[in-house]
């Protein structure tokens, strides 16, 4: 595999944990103002348009609700986030309060795809992502910190008009558990280059059951992603 398209592994993947308070919140580098909210959508979400509600302003990023959850007995989520102009994404933040209650867990493995219109589960499982991240699990009793995951190489995340987050598995590594998260955010900068949405770009609101080849032993969650322990 070439260096350019090499996945990010646990050893290579840096992250920065920062304490957050409402008084200290700073949205100067947040890309939220560039998100094209009417076009945000998520496959396999349990509540229609729940995905839009987790793209919170920075002063709400630690709130446990509202949240995005996958449908029952299925851990996968595929979140599409388009922007109103091309952006440079420097880091991504993903937060969850779920620690296993009611068979619901925080996301663990997420694949990132760039500018892939109409990406569905079947293609996402086979396509090489721009990056693969292993997320740190939430710690019980710690609710005042957000982890930023810097994206590298930096040049790969420039002039992005659409980013898709494929949540492959959660902290349970059980494909029949539910994945839940309460915040997704991006830091970076806009490019002032406007992008028009293709007229043919149509997304399905919910995943088709035939797209989900669920493995009861949960092995699917780790295929091709290295040995995450």
């Amino acid at each position: 595999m070439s260096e350019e398209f090499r996945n990010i592994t646990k050893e290579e993947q840096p992250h920065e944990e920062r304490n957050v308070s409402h008084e200290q919140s700073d949205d100067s580098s947040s890309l939220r103002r560039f998100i094209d909210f009417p076009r945000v959508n998520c496959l396999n979400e349990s509540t229609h348009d729940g995905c839009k509600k987790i793209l919170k302003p920075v002063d709400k990023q630690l709130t446990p609700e509202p949240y995005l959850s996958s449908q029952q007995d299925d851990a996968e989520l595929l979140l599409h986030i388009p922007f109103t102009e091309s952006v440079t994404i420097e880091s991504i933040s993903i937060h969850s309060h779920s620690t296993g209650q009611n068979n619901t867990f925080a996301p663990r493995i997420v694949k990132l795809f760039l500018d892939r219109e109409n990406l569905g589960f079947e293609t996402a499982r086979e396509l090489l992502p721009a990056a693969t991240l292993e997320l740190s699990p939430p710690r019980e009793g710690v609710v005042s910190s957000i982890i930023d995951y810097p994206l590298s190489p930096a040049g790969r995340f420039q002039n992005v008009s659409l980013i898709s987050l494929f949540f492959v598995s959660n902290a349970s590594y059980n494909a029949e558990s539910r994945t839940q998260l309460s915040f997704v955010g991006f830091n970076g900068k806009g490019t002032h280059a406007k992008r028009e949405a293709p007229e043919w770009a149509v997304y399905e609101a919910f995943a088709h059951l035939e797209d989900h080849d669920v493995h009861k032993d949960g092995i699917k969650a780790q295929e091709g992603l290295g040995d995450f322990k």
Side-chain angles (χ1 to χ4, degrees), residues 210-226:
E210 58 267 25
D211 289 340
H212 284 253
D213 182 18
V214 178
H215 293 191
K216 292 185 178 180
D217 57 10
I219 296 176
K220 176 187 62 174
Q222 302 183 56
E223 287 182 356
L225 299 179

Side-chain angles (χ1 to χ4, degrees), residues 27-35 37 84 188-190:
D27 63 357
S28 60
S29 62
S30 171
L31 294 178
R32 185 177 186 271
R33 63 189 181 277
F34 299 115
I35 294 176
F37 276 90
T84 56
K189 56 187 177 182

Side-chain angles (χ1 to χ4, degrees), residues 126-138:
E126 300 297 330
L127 192 66
L128 191 66
T132 298
L133 306 178
E134 181 181 17
L135 308 178
S136 296

Side-chain angles (χ1 to χ4, degrees), residues 14-229:
H15 63 264
E16 300 174 359
E17 185 171 353
R18 54 186 169 87
N19 291 326
V20 178
S21 69
H22 296 327
E23 294 78 10
Q24 295 173 332
S25 296
D26 179 11
D27 63 357
S28 60
S29 62
S30 171
L31 294 178
R32 185 177 186 271
R33 63 189 181 277
F34 299 115
I35 294 176
D36 189 354
F37 276 90
R39 295 177 56 223
V40 172
N41 70 96
C42 184
L43 306 188
N44 203 42
E45 61 181 351
S46 60
T47 303
H48 181 57
D49 276 349
C51 56
K52 298 178 181 179
K53 298 176 182 179
I54 65 166
L55 302 171
K56 304 171 183 176
V58 293
D59 61 340
K60 303 293 185 182
Q61 59 190 336
L62 288 175
T63 56
E65 296 181 351
Y67 55 78
L68 169 65
S69 179
S70 62
Q71 296 191 47
Q72 189 171 359
D73 300 328
D74 195 340
E76 292 183 325
L77 287 165
L78 184 51
L79 175 59
H80 299 291
I81 303 174
F83 299 96
T84 56
E85 65 179 59
S86 297
V87 298
T88 295
I89 306 175
E90 297 172 352
S91 66
I92 182 172
S93 304
I94 299 173
H95 190 66
S96 175
H97 292 262
S98 297
T99 56
Q101 305 92 331
N102 301 316
N103 200 34
T104 301
F105 296 85
R108 185 67 168 178
I109 303 297
V110 56
K111 294 182 178 182
L112 308 180
F113 299 93
L114 306 177
D115 298 322
R116 293 281 182 174
E117 298 284 352
N118 295 328
L119 181 67
F121 282 107
E122 183 176 353
T123 302
R125 295 188 192 108
E126 300 297 330
L127 192 66
L128 191 66
T132 298
L133 306 178
E134 181 181 17
L135 308 178
S136 296
R139 292 176 292 171
E140 291 191 33
V142 179
V143 296
S144 62
S145 64
I146 289 287
I147 294 179
D148 295 327
Y149 297 89
L151 300 180
S152 62
R156 190 182 304 172
F157 294 90
Q158 295 178 352
N159 297 314
V160 176
S161 59
L162 168 69
I163 186 169
S164 299
L165 286 69
F166 177 26
F167 295 95
V168 180
S169 66
N170 57 42
S172 73
Y173 283 125
N174 180 352
E176 295 187 350
S177 61
R178 300 179 73 172
T179 298
Q180 187 177 102
L181 56 153
S182 56
F183 175 73
V184 171
F186 306 93
N187 288 324
K189 56 187 177 182
T191 64
H192 307 294
K194 298 294 182 181
R195 292 292 181 91
E196 296 294 334
E199 294 183 359
W200 47 264
V202 178
Y203 300 98
E204 56 181 337
F206 293 93
H208 295 298
L209 293 179
E210 58 267 25
D211 289 340
H212 284 253
D213 182 18
V214 178
H215 293 191
K216 292 185 178 180
D217 57 10
I219 296 176
K220 176 187 62 174
Q222 302 183 56
E223 287 182 356
L225 299 179
D227 184 14
F228 295 107
K229 298 180 178 179

